[in-house]
Amino acid sequence: MSYDNDNIFAKILRGEIPNNTVYEDEHVLAFHDITPQRPVHILVIPKGAYVNMDDFTAKASDEEVIALMRASGKIARDLGLAETGYRVINNNGDDGHQEVQHLHLHILGGAPAGPMLKKVSAG
Ligand code: AMP
């Protein structure tokens, strides 16, 4: 899938749509999810134009990949989630139920996350 420059996170990165930023560096922006699913719900995104994890891991530099992971851990620590625990979710493509076509990691905490996935028939 090619990158759509009009996706909502591209607009946030260009400053065309406001966001509630919790962290920013050269490669990464993180902000509060607009529809939080837990008391803490942060989205961590690369500043580069990557559709999803497949695109990112195939094309991003080592520096960008490291930056996303380092930032995610730091954000969770800084928000006090490291001790109580948290869940990181990354939805990819249709089966992953990805809604916004710019790679993002969800960091969810502040309450138990519950079971990992709903059970579905293996088919
Ligand atoms: P996903 O289903 O993994 O693609 O998640 C997309 C997430 O983006 C959802 O949790 C939305 O609530 C969130 N979202 C959509 N628009 C915005 C926005 N303008 N600011 C912050 N979060 C947003």
Side-chain angles (χ1 to χ4, degrees):
M1 177 191 275
S2 61
Y3 187 82
D4 171 11
N5 278 310
D6 286 331
N7 79 74
I8 198 123
F9 294 169
K11 291 180 180 177
I12 284 176
L13 284 167
R14 289 196 297 268
E16 295 167 9
I17 291 178
N19 75 93
N20 189 355
T21 299
V22 295
Y23 176 89
E24 182 167 13
D25 66 25
E26 183 187 353
H27 295 298
V28 177
L29 180 69
F31 49 89
H32 289 273
D33 195 292
I34 205 166
T35 312
Q37 303 294 316
R38 286 295 181 276
V40 180
H41 187 169
I42 306 298
L43 299 173
V44 189
I45 70 173
K47 288 187 172 176
Y50 302 106
V51 177
N52 56 24
M53 189 62 87
D54 179 58
D55 196 21
F56 186 62
T57 55
K59 297 181 190 157
S61 67
D62 289 355
E63 197 180 340
E64 291 174 293
V65 174
I66 290 166
L68 193 76
M69 295 306 289
R70 291 270 191 221
S72 299
K74 176 174 168 43
I75 290 160
R77 274 192 303 280
D78 289 353
L79 293 175
L81 302 179
E83 290 187 3
T84 48
Y86 58 95
R87 179 169 289 168
V88 179
I89 295 176
N90 167 235
N91 298 322
N92 283 273
D94 290 343
D95 283 355
H97 207 281
Q98 180 178 3
E99 291 177 356
V100 178
Q101 304 305 314
H102 180 112
L103 172 66
H104 49 283
L105 303 183
H106 298 254
I107 297 179
L108 299 137
M116 193 168 79
L117 290 172
K118 277 188 204 159
K119 286 192 176 163
V120 293
S121 161

